[in-house]
Amino acid sequence: QVQLVESGGGSVQSGGSLRLSCAASATTYSTYCMAWFRQVLGKEREGVAVIDSAGSTKYADSVKGRFTIARDNAKRMLFLQMNSLKAEDTAMYYCAADRLWRCVSGGDNAANFDYWGQGTQVTVSS
């Protein structure tokens, strides 16, 4: 069982930055595929970024060049640095974890993840 707790969300103006954090409880955290998803009310959960145990990453086209995913295995933490935020980035952001055989290629599919945080709201005003 893995428990995930997100923090760092908030309200920011367009062009601003936020850094999301996710604290994980798993003692074998370093072996987990970790990802950030986001969801707008009434829409499907969308993959934002994924990072595997070796540090390989993949991003949604909509956030490439603006968002950076990172992990600190010693502290069991996951981060999402979000720069140049746009109004369309407004959503509830979720941290997800699982042991995926193909983490990077499958990390944009919410159905592949069993463990989720409670979410943190990001609101970007234009």
Side-chain angles (χ1 to χ4, degrees):
Q1 193 75 11
V2 179
Q3 293 185 331
L4 304 170
V5 179
E6 301 98 335
S7 61
S11 296
V12 65
Q13 289 191 331
S14 180
S17 298
L18 283 174
R19 187 191 193 210
L20 305 184
S21 299
C22 173
S25 66
T27 55
T28 56
Y29 170 78
S30 63
T31 67
Y32 279 80
C33 176
M34 301 297 299
W36 288 100
F37 287 79
R38 65 187 181 187
Q39 189 169 24
V40 175
L41 196 63
K43 293 188 176 181
E44 290 188 357
R45 199 164 288 192
E46 172 193 21
V48 175
V50 61
I51 185 168
D52 69 9
S53 57
S56 295
T57 60
K58 183 180 179 181
Y59 297 90
D61 288 342
S62 58
V63 307
K64 279 181 182 176
R66 300 189 297 121
F67 291 11
T68 302
I69 188 171
R71 65 191 297 165
D72 184 331
N73 289 334
K75 296 183 178 179
R76 302 177 195 170
M77 294 292 296
L78 179 72
F79 305 100
L80 186 68
Q81 179 66 43
M82 304 186 296
N83 298 328
S84 302
L85 282 161
K86 305 175 181 179
E88 50 263 45
D89 295 319
T90 295
M92 185 72 79
Y93 282 73
Y94 297 91
C95 171
D98 213 314
R99 285 197 174 104
L100 300 188
W101 178 246
R102 294 180 179 176
C103 175
V104 173
S105 60
D108 59 352
N109 186 345
N112 289 335
F113 291 85
D114 282 340
Y115 304 107
W116 293 87
Q118 83 288 349
T120 185
Q121 178 68 35
V122 171
T123 302
V124 184
S125 57
S126 56

